[in-house]
Structures are given as structure tokens and as C-alpha cells.
Amino acid sequence: MNTDQISGVIDRILFSNQETGFSVFIVHSKKLEPTTVTGSFTNIQAGQEIHLQGSWGFHAKFGKQFQATSFTTALPTSTLGIQKYLGSGFIKGIGKVYAEKIVQQFGEKTLTIIDTRPDDLLLVSGLGQKRVERIKQSWIDQKYIAKIMVFLQEKGASATYATKIYKKYGHDAIAKLSQDPYRLTDDVWGIGFKTADKIAQNMGFATGSVQRIQAGILFSLKQASNHGHVYQNVETLKETTFQLLEIDPALHQSEMKRSLINLYQNDKIKLISHQEQHFVGLAAMYGCEKGIAQKILQMIEAPIQHKISNATLYQSLQTNMDIELNDDQQRAIMACFSSKISIITGGPGTGKTTLIKTLLKLLNQHNFEYKLAAPTGRAAKRLMESTKQHATTIHRLLEFDPASMKFTHHEQNALKTDFLIVDETSMIDIFLGHSLLKAISLASHVVFLGDVDQLPSVGPGNVLKDCINSQKISCTKLTQIFRQAQNSMIIQNAHKINHGEFFSSTLPDCKKDFYFIKEENVENAFNIITKILHTTIPAHNIDASNVSILTPMNRGATGTQKLNHDLQQLINPDKQGPQATSMGTIYRIKDRVMQIRNNYDKKIFNGDIGTIIAIDIDEQILMVDFDGFHVSYSFDEINELVLAYAITIHKSQGSEYDAVIIPIFMQHFMLLQRNLMYTAITRAKKLCIFIGQTKAIAMGIKNAKQEQRITFLSQFLTESLSCR
């Protein structure tokens, strides 16, 4: 195959995917008319001189293109090229305006000035000391990033991760990676095992080496935790690790045994024997689960310190309350005072909110101090709105300290409160559960509220369900649906789903707040959603900002990725304002976005939803408003965000919307479960609309089988496990 060559200056970049490196850009050449170039590229900027090798092709829509297979770049030498290069936003502190001013001042010597005499930039009108310092630092950063890029390319890995790696390790990046490339999977979010393994093998790590197998074991355990498991059966773990590493089990049993022993001796893993089976878990997860159990047992045994008798409390409930409580509600409130730790669970309309309000009134009457918390910002906001009392997220309650990377409140600095009331407890995983319980004084009472029939936490463990199943903790289940809730089709149908019954499109004496639109063709789903947004939503006097599309999965015609792309064009199509791009997604001012990882430095957490309020191209900064809390992201951090016009049902936990639209089709069949359907419908306050195939919805409602998470919290609470 013949190889062609072209050279020129990058005029503008039309598209760039940071994950794959695939880019489309225009090259200006003295010998050719402006040329469209496609291929895989790293660290290219407008204004750079580029030499390309590849072949010519023809795209049916875009015409003649040069398809590059390799390339080399050089810093621009012409004043026009330098101006484009600096104006691309590549160097923080320099946008198009300052790029022009700097080049006017220094001409073709501009880049040499920035590199060797950066303080001369102060001669440029409008450039102050602060901005010049940002430019100097950004220039130094880019030089080091370039070195990391070369290192990654030499090791067969994508250079697109270079900026993230530099942010994590700084000038020590190459030294640290040379020592242990597998650390990338833990330290740098977004880098998976395959990337780290490719680097390691190109550095000479043997395919069946103990170090490589150890890394594979740890990664397999982390992968299992992504599915909620705290432990893995040891034989299953071996099998998944061998598959991951693509090595023959028959040839590497001794290395596998040595790897497990090494990890155990270095306190990386723990071993548990139960019912003649053997399990392996990450030491950190084991510590959390064991720690939760120990603290619960301590609280159960701790003496009650308040002097209020049951008779006094009962009298208060009978005489001083505005609302009459049923027997279960009264029993639940009494348990809050008579037990150091108690659980209240129940579905929609069963009076959890009324119960909390009554409990708070009692606490106020008897001068108890209390705090309200929930796992997410939206859940905390809901709790605050329903109780008219201050509520916060658990993370903010515990006060994370970025300097120490630990919570401020812990065993030695417990929360100062008589009662802690935590809502949406089903969302709490073992990490958050352990951190929370560590921070609770044995003198305090804790009340956990939640709906055990909803989806379990996104993170590992099944804290609420395990605690209930242990029967060690006082637990009240609310089952009676109150009269004011009985006229809601949403609530009635939620309970039908939870009982394994298909929902009803009409119910006598109910307001019309629920619809089912049958549609067999998944390709028609978006058109139906569009019509609903344009007609049904306004007809119900619901603001479009409080509507969410909830779907079981990320991929496919009704997955979040495609829906968000299409909904952005529908809801926020403005292409004239400033934009930022990450992983092939365009972000615009007014876009609804969601954080998809815990970022303790920014004090923003997985599942938090906000709105983009500003994009600064010069400074490469994007600003998001999370319910009044403003968080800035550099452009290389934007992959922590996704568009959130549509979100997965799992991510919707803890949130409520005035209206939800739920597309369910057979393409989702692997994920269709009763608790998924139940969780989805219970997110709606005023309007719920299902779209899809009757067969798919019926399958989901019928399927009560859930993948059993491998956890041992219940056993830690009730029996003696063999652990080492």
C-alpha cells in the first residue's frame, strides 16, 4: 500500500476524543488547499506545524480526507502559527486576545521568550504578575506532560492520560510508574487495568510473574466490588484473575498461591471461611464491614442516658401531636428513644415523613440536640424541604479534610448530638457506613430510615438489608398506605410493582398522575419523549427543569449516552456560546450534568447533579452550580461529569423529580428486575410515564431475583466467623 505525506499548519480542530485520541482537523499547506485530516492524535493544538503520513480517502458526507497513520509535530515558527497555537487555550492564562497582544510584542521570538524569559511578558499591555505566573506554570506543566506522553507512547499506552498522570504524581511521574505501573488503576481515575498492564509488560514484567498476578487479584476484587460484592469465593477469584491476565491456570498455580500469600502477609487481603467455603476480600473492605458490625454491637450494649420514661413519651404522642399516628408509627418512635440504634423502613405513602416530623417535635419538646443527614445532596435537600429543618449530606456532616484525606469526625472527635437521623439509608455502602458509625458517640441515638425494597447502594455492601436480616437492631416496617396517598396512581402502582403485580393505567378515585405508553419499536422512544416534553409536561404545569428521564442502562437507543446527546440538542442547542469537549461529549452553559466519582478535594460526590453556569475558554475552566454550591473544573477534569438530562435508575436513588419518564424495552432484559422498576416509579412526585414494551415491563416486575451480594455484615453481627 502506497503511503502519502503532507505537511502544514493545523488551522483548527473540528473534533477530538480525549479517550481514544481520534481527531478531525484542518491543515493549511503551501502546496495544497485546506485539507481535512482524520486519525488518532495526542496533544495537538491549532498553530502547530505537523508532518503526516497516511493515505487519501473519500467520505460520502464530508468529501476528500487525508487519513493519517503517523505524525510528528513541531512548535510553530510563523507569527500566525504562534498566535493560533497560543490562542487555542493550550497554555492557561492565554486566550485569543492575549495571544494576539503577545505575538505583536515579540513576533517570531514569542515562544522562546515564554520558555527562557517569561517575566518579559509583563511588557505586554494588560498582562499582570498573577496572569504571567499562571502562564509560566502552565508552560512548565506542558513540558513535563510532553515527557510523560513520550514515556506512555514508548510503552504502548495512550498518551491521552498524560495530563491526569502529571496532576497526580507531578515531576515524579515517570519514576513512580517505572517502579510500579499498576498503581495507576488506584491512583488515577479513568485508567483501567489493561492500560497499566500494557505499560508493565512493555517494561518487562513477565506474563506469569507474581507481581502481575498480585495486581490481577487486586483488580478482580475491585471489579467484584463494582457489582456490590465485598468478597469473592477464592476459586471464583482465581478463575477471574486467570481470565483477566490471559494465562494458563495449569501452568501458574504455584505463582497464584504465592501471590495470595504475599497479599495476605502484606495486609492487602483478608480470608474468611463460612459454611465450608473460603472467601477473599480486600483488607480495606473487610475492615469497613467488620468495623460497622463492631460499632453496632457496641451501641446496642451502650446504656440509655436520657431519663424520659416510655410512659411520658407515650403520653406526649397521645396528647401533644397534631397528627394521629398509627400503631406502627408510634412503635417506631418509641424504639428511637428506647434503642441506641433503630431502623424504620417503608414504601411511599406509608408515613415516613410524618413520622420524622413527629419525632423532631418530640425531640424539640424534650430539648434534645439532633442532626439530619442523607447520602446525597438531593436526598438531603428533600429531607430539609419535608421537615423544614437543616439537613446535610453525610460527607459534609463528617467534614472531609483534603489535607489529610480523612474525615474530621471519627472515634476521637465524635459528632456532638443526642440524635442522628439518617434518611435514604439503602444508598449507604460499607465505606460511608463505616465512616459514619465511627463518628457517632456511644451516648448518641441513631435512627436509620429507608426503603429496603429499593435498589441497594451503588458501592459495595448491602448495609441496610444486612442490618435488618441480622435481627440484632430494632426495626419497624411501615406497611399502611395513608388515605392522602391512596388517591395517587404513582403510589398505588409502586406498591403493585413491589408485590409483583403489573401496574394499572386507570384506578378508581385516583388522580391521573401515571401513564403507560405502549411502544414496541425502541427507535420511536425518543420521538415519544420529545412529544411528552412539549405537550404532556406543560399540560401538568410542571417545569421542564424538574423532569428526568430514567433508564436502566447507559448504552443503546434508550441508554443515557444517546438520550443525553439527543436531549441536549432538543433542550440546550445553543452552539454560539463557549463550549468544552471531553470524551466526545460537548458541554454548554445551562447543561444539566452529574458528577460520577467522589471528589473529596472539591467536596462533590458521585451522583450529585448540577447546572453548568460558566465556561472560560482562556482559563480552561468550567463552573457548575450544585444547588448553590459552585465547583470549578479544569478542562482535563470534565470527564468526571456526564450530561444528566437522562440518568440511570441506579443513579436516581435519593432523588425525586416532579416528573419522570421511564423507557423500558427488551434490550434492557439483562437488567430488568423488580427493585429497579420499583425504584424508578418512586422517584416521581407529580407525574410518572412509562414508555415501552408490555413484555419487557412484565418481565422486570416478575423478576424478584436479585444477584446476591457476597457480604458478611449480617454474620459479623450474629455469629463468630473464621477470619484471618
Side-chain angles (χ1 to χ4, degrees):
M1 183 177 174
N2 292 332
T3 300
D4 297 309
Q5 299 182 6
I6 63 170
S7 298
V9 175
I10 300 174
D11 179 64
R12 63 187 186 278
I13 299 171
L14 304 176
F15 174 81
S16 182
N17 187 316
Q18 292 179 2
E19 185 178 24
T20 63
F22 179 78
S23 304
V24 182
F25 55 87
I26 304 296
V27 167
H28 278 194
S29 169
K30 292 179 180 178
K31 297 180 180 180
L32 299 167
E33 62 183 16
T35 302
T36 301
V37 177
T38 66
S40 185
F41 300 87
T42 56
N43 205 35
I44 56 169
Q45 303 295 330
Q48 280 181 312
E49 295 177 4
I50 191 164
H51 180 74
L52 299 148
Q53 292 184 314
S55 59
W56 291 96
F58 190 86
H59 191 281
K61 184 176 180 180
F62 301 109
K64 189 177 180 182
Q65 297 179 339
F66 189 81
Q67 298 163 349
T69 54
S70 63
F71 74 101
T72 57
T73 59
L75 292 175
T77 55
S78 69
T79 55
L80 180 61
I82 294 169
Q83 188 172 319
K84 277 186 175 292
Y85 180 70
L86 294 177
S88 68
F90 181 59
I91 304 297
K92 291 182 180 179
I94 304 179
K96 290 181 180 180
V97 174
Y98 281 115
E100 184 179 356
K101 286 186 176 182
I102 293 169
V103 173
Q104 282 179 353
Q105 180 79 33
F106 301 112
E108 293 178 357
K109 297 180 181 178
T110 294
L111 298 183
T112 303
I113 294 291
I114 295 174
D115 190 42
T116 61
R117 304 201 318 267
D119 288 331
D120 287 4
L121 292 170
L122 292 167
L123 298 171
V124 178
S125 173
L127 279 183
Q129 187 67 51
K130 191 174 178 181
R131 186 178 289 269
V132 169
E133 290 301 320
R134 282 207 306 277
I135 294 169
K136 285 162 68 174
Q137 187 58 54
S138 184
W139 184 262
I140 293 168
D141 291 347
Q142 293 302 331
K143 289 169 73 173
Y144 275 98
I145 289 167
K147 290 180 182 178
I148 299 170
M149 282 180 168
V150 172
F151 173 85
L152 293 173
Q153 287 170 330
E154 287 174 347
K155 303 300 182 283
S158 172
T160 55
Y161 302 114
T163 301
K164 282 188 171 184
I165 292 170
Y166 176 69
K167 273 195 165 185
K168 180 65 182 180
Y169 303 127
H171 296 180
D172 298 329
I174 293 174
K176 288 185 175 183
L177 294 185
S178 299
Q179 184 181 18
D180 178 17
Y182 291 108
R183 67 189 302 159
L184 283 169
T185 58
D186 287 330
D187 294 348
V188 183
W189 186 79
I191 298 183
F193 180 83
K194 292 291 185 184
T195 297
D197 192 45
K198 182 181 284 188
I199 296 170
Q201 291 194 72
N202 284 322
M203 287 173 56
F205 284 64
T207 302
S209 67
V210 169
Q211 190 172 359
R212 184 169 183 254
I213 293 174
Q214 287 179 185
I217 291 168
L218 294 175
F219 184 75
S220 295
L221 288 170
K222 288 166 193 166
Q223 285 292 94
S225 76
N226 292 336
H227 296 283
H229 302 297
V230 181
Y231 308 91
Q232 278 285 278
N233 178 282
V234 68
E235 295 305 322
T236 304
L237 175 62
K238 289 178 181 179
E239 185 182 333
T240 56
T241 303
F242 283 131
Q243 288 176 352
L244 171 72
L245 302 177
E246 297 179 347
I247 56 178
D248 188 347
L251 301 176
H252 297 285
Q253 285 297 335
S254 62
E255 289 88 350
M256 172 61 75
K257 185 177 180 180
R258 203 163 353 130
S259 298
L260 287 166
I261 291 170
N262 285 353
L263 289 170
Y264 171 73
Q265 290 177 339
N266 289 308
D267 204 30
K268 297 286 187 176
I269 61 173
K270 291 291 185 181
L271 308 176
I272 290 180
S273 298
H274 184 250
Q275 295 180 348
E276 299 183 354
Q277 292 190 70
H278 305 291
F279 299 87
V280 179
L282 291 169
M285 293 191 193
Y286 164 86
C288 288
E289 200 171 65
K290 181 77 171 176
I292 291 172
Q294 288 175 334
K295 187 58 178 281
I296 288 173
L297 293 173
Q298 286 175 352
M299 293 190 71
I300 290 171
E301 296 298 322
I304 304 294
Q305 296 192 357
H306 69 77
K307 305 300 181 184
I308 303 173
S309 67
N310 286 344
T312 301
L313 286 169
Y314 186 76
Q315 183 65 27
S316 296
L317 284 173
Q318 299 303 311
T319 58
N320 298 329
M321 298 298 118
D322 300 327
I323 301 173
E324 185 177 344
L325 304 181
N326 64 28
D327 291 345
D328 286 341
Q329 289 174 310
Q330 291 186 46
R331 189 163 52 251
I333 286 180
M334 298 291 286
C336 295
F337 290 89
S338 60
S339 304
K340 275 299 178 66
I341 182 167
S342 56
I343 296 171
I344 302 167
T345 183
T350 56
K352 291 195 298 293
T353 300
T354 301
L355 189 153
I356 297 172
K357 288 180 178 178
T358 304
L359 174 60
L360 296 184
K361 189 173 180 180
L362 277 172
L363 294 175
N364 286 325
Q365 283 182 358
H366 295 282
N367 299 315
F368 286 109
E369 291 185 16
Y370 57 83
K371 296 183 186 295
L372 301 172
T376 67
R378 290 211 157 214
K381 187 179 179 182
R382 282 177 52 208
L383 184 59
M384 190 154 51
E385 289 171 349
S386 63
T387 62
K388 305 295 189 287
Q389 301 293 322
H390 176 72
T392 185
T393 64
I394 295 172
H395 290 92
R396 293 195 175 98
L397 177 74
L398 301 180
E399 298 178 24
F400 187 79
D401 177 20
S404 64
M405 294 301 291
K406 295 178 180 177
F407 288 113
T408 302
H409 291 288
H410 44 70
E411 300 97 328
Q412 285 75 46
N413 183 29
L415 293 163
K416 293 178 173 58
T417 187
D418 298 316
F419 280 76
L420 175 63
I421 299 159
V422 184
D423 199 12
E424 296 287 356
T425 310
S426 62
M427 299 177 66
I428 296 178
D429 61 22
I430 55 168
F431 298 119
L432 191 57
H434 185 228
S435 295
L436 178 63
L437 283 161
K438 280 198 301 182
I440 297 170
S441 163
L442 290 177
S444 300
H445 292 247
V446 182
V447 182
F448 288 126
L449 295 119
D451 187 347
V452 74
D453 295 319
Q454 288 188 29
L455 290 165
S457 59
V458 174
N462 206 345
V463 175
L464 179 62
K465 192 170 185 177
D466 285 350
C467 284
I468 293 172
N469 288 344
S470 75
Q471 298 184 1
K472 292 288 289 188
I473 302 170
S474 171
C475 178
T476 306
K477 185 165 187 176
L478 306 178
T479 56
Q480 182 183 328
I481 304 174
F482 281 80
R483 188 183 302 129
Q484 61 268 32
Q486 289 177 359
N487 72 343
S488 167
M489 290 181 68
I490 294 173
I491 290 174
Q492 292 279 18
N493 280 324
H495 287 277
K496 278 179 170 286
I497 290 172
N498 202 30
H499 292 127
E501 302 171 21
F502 200 88
F503 48 65
S504 299
S505 296
T506 56
L507 287 169
D509 303 319
C510 283
K511 58 187 176 186
K512 191 64 176 176
D513 57 5
F514 179 92
Y515 298 86
F516 171 39
I517 301 173
K518 295 180 184 179
E519 177 54 59
E520 293 299 317
N521 187 354
V522 67
E523 299 299 329
N524 292 336
F526 185 72
N527 289 334
I528 296 171
I529 291 170
T530 302
K531 187 177 179 181
I532 291 168
L533 292 173
H534 283 156
T535 58
T536 311
I537 298 300
H540 282 75
N541 296 314
I542 293 172
D543 192 284
S545 64
N546 214 332
V547 179
S548 190
I549 288 83
L550 308 182
T551 181
M553 60 198 301
N554 289 310
R555 302 186 183 278
T558 56
T560 58
Q561 294 173 2
K562 187 169 190 314
L563 284 174
N564 275 316
H565 175 273
D566 294 345
L567 286 164
Q568 184 190 48
Q569 306 309 311
L570 180 70
I571 297 169
N572 191 25
D574 179 24
K575 299 177 182 178
Q576 303 305 312
Q579 300 182 156
T581 303
S582 175
M583 312 285 279
T585 299
I586 295 170
Y587 296 87
R588 301 177 180 132
I589 293 172
K590 296 183 181 180
D591 273 337
R592 187 194 299 176
V593 292
M594 180 171 63
Q595 177 78 12
I596 57 172
R597 67 176 288 252
N598 289 339
N599 190 321
Y600 293 97
D601 288 332
K602 297 183 185 294
K603 298 182 179 178
I604 204 75
F605 304 100
N606 190 356
D608 286 347
I609 291 177
T611 303
I612 298 174
I613 56 174
I615 298 175
D616 189 325
I617 302 298
D618 289 358
E619 297 297 323
Q620 299 180 57
I621 295 290
L622 178 148
M623 184 74 70
V624 182
D625 177 3
F626 292 97
D627 289 324
F629 182 61
H630 292 182
V631 180
S632 66
Y633 296 79
S634 62
F635 280 7
D636 60 347
E637 296 175 319
I638 302 176
N639 63 346
E640 295 187 14
L641 298 170
V642 294
L643 295 175
Y645 299 104
I647 61 176
T648 63
I649 296 168
H650 279 84
K651 289 289 190 181
S652 74
Q653 293 178 83
S655 297
E656 272 190 350
Y657 302 91
D658 284 349
V660 298
I661 304 167
I662 308 164
I664 302 291
F665 291 85
M666 286 303 296
Q667 64 176 197
H668 306 138
F669 76 95
M670 292 290 290
L671 297 170
L672 296 180
Q673 294 177 336
R674 184 181 299 170
N675 59 353
L676 186 92
M677 312 287 281
Y678 176 70
T679 300
I681 191 172
T682 56
R683 300 307 90 201
K685 289 197 295 185
K686 298 179 180 179
L687 181 66
C688 179
I689 303 174
F690 273 82
I691 303 167
Q693 299 160 333
T694 304
K695 181 182 178 181
I697 294 168
M699 179 185 290
I701 294 171
K702 186 178 178 181
N703 182 16
K705 295 180 182 178
Q706 302 172 31
E707 183 185 11
Q708 292 300 310
R709 296 187 168 190
I710 304 175
T711 67
F712 285 113
L713 176 56
S714 183
Q715 286 78 13
F716 281 134
L717 287 166
T718 57
E719 59 188 87
S720 185
L721 288 180
S722 175
C723 307
R724 63 185 194 276

